[in-house]
Amino acid sequence: MTANEELGVLIKETQAVLHQRMDEVLRPLGLTVPQYACLQALHDTPGITGSELARRVFVSRQSTNIVLQGLEKRGLITRSDDPGPRRERATVLTAPAVALLDDARSRVSSVANRMTGDLTRADTARLHALLTACRDALLT
C-alpha cells in the first residue's frame, strides 16, 4: 500500500471512530448522528433545501426524508403542509429541538475536543487546511 493509500485508510478509520464516539454521546439524548446533523443543519441554515440537507447529513434524499419523519414524530421539527417554490416543504425546529440541540452540540464538541486535544492551535489550523485541500481536490 502506498503512503497516500495509507493516508486515505487513516482518514476513513478516523471518520469511523469519530462517528462511533458521536453516536455514544448522542444515544442518551435519543439521537443518531444523522438526526443530530439534520437538526444542526436546519438550525444553522434556515430554509435549506432537501438536497443540500441530504449532502450535509451524508445520506440520500430518501434517507433524509426518513430522518425528518422521525424528527417530526418526536415533535422536534414541524413541516409545512404546503410545498414551496421548489415543491419542498419548509422545515422548522421546535423549541424542544433547539434545547436538545444545545445539549447535543455540547456533547459532540467534547468529542471533537478529545480528538484534537493533543494538537496545538497551529496543528489544528494546518490539519484543517490540509483536509480541506484533500476534500476540494476530490470535488474537482
Side-chain angles (χ1 to χ4, degrees):
M1 187 180 305
T2 68
N4 287 341
E5 290 169 331
E6 287 179 16
L7 183 58
V9 169
L10 179 60
I11 290 169
K12 180 60 179 162
E13 289 172 345
T14 303
Q15 184 275 332
V17 174
L18 175 61
H19 191 280
Q20 180 181 7
R21 295 297 174 259
M22 288 173 62
D23 184 62
E24 290 168 359
V25 300
L26 292 170
R27 191 176 306 122
L29 300 177
L31 290 175
T32 65
V33 174
Q35 288 172 327
Y36 165 74
C38 188
L39 290 174
Q40 182 172 301
L42 290 168
H43 180 271
D44 294 345
T45 315
I48 189 171
T49 66
S51 297
E52 181 59 26
L53 186 59
R55 280 191 287 280
R56 290 196 187 185
V57 178
F58 302 107
V59 297
S60 68
R61 284 254 310 151
Q62 195 170 23
S63 294
T64 300
N65 196 44
I66 292 168
V67 170
L68 289 173
Q69 288 172 4
L71 294 172
E72 189 172 28
K73 283 179 186 172
R74 283 186 62 189
L76 297 174
I77 63 167
T78 59
R79 295 197 285 176
S80 70
D81 291 330
D82 301 321
R86 294 185 209 136
R87 296 180 35 206
E88 296 193 18
R89 296 168 58 195
T91 305
V92 179
L93 297 183
T94 62
V98 173
L100 182 65
L101 183 58
D102 285 343
D103 190 3
R105 279 183 165 170
S106 175
R107 291 169 184 243
V108 169
S109 180
S110 71
V111 172
N113 290 338
R114 179 175 165 199
M115 179 178 68
T116 60
D118 290 337
L119 302 178
T120 66
R121 281 187 180 188
D123 289 340
T124 302
R126 183 73 178 135
L127 179 59
H128 186 276
L130 292 170
L131 289 173
T132 299
C134 289
R135 180 205 59 207
D136 291 352
L138 292 173
L139 290 173
T140 59

